[in-house]
Amino acid sequence: YITNIQGEARIYTNGAWQQNLARLNDDPELKRRVSEYYDSMGGDMDMDPQGRVTFPKNLRDSMSLEDQQLML
């Protein structure tokens, strides 16, 4: 999972994002709002055989990264 948090791309391993959201289980409304907000700027990603990832379009748009190559 990848999203934009305070202007930085944040990449989470499988399940790590869900663990972060689980910390908000005591407040289901806050959990829903946080999830919707960060999902609007990111999403799931896959790695190709060369180890490259393509950022979701909504993340590229939110970070003004359209048509740019990034090295992580």
Side-chain angles (χ1 to χ4, degrees), residues 36-50:
E36 286 178 0
Y37 177 76
Y38 289 112
D39 283 350
S40 74
M41 290 185 286
D44 292 329
M45 64 176 208
D46 293 313
M47 190 175 298
D48 73 10
Q50 288 80 33

Side-chain angles (χ1 to χ4, degrees), residues 45-62:
M45 64 176 208
D46 293 313
M47 190 175 298
D48 73 10
Q50 288 80 33
R52 299 174 298 194
V53 297
T54 300
F55 286 20
K57 181 169 178 18
N58 52 348
L59 178 64
R60 292 190 315 265
D61 291 345
S62 73

Side-chain angles (χ1 to χ4, degrees), residues 1-14:
Y1 184 83
I2 186 168
T3 192
N4 176 352
I5 297 179
Q6 297 179 345
E8 297 179 357
R10 298 281 178 99
I11 300 172
Y12 294 87
T13 59
N14 291 341

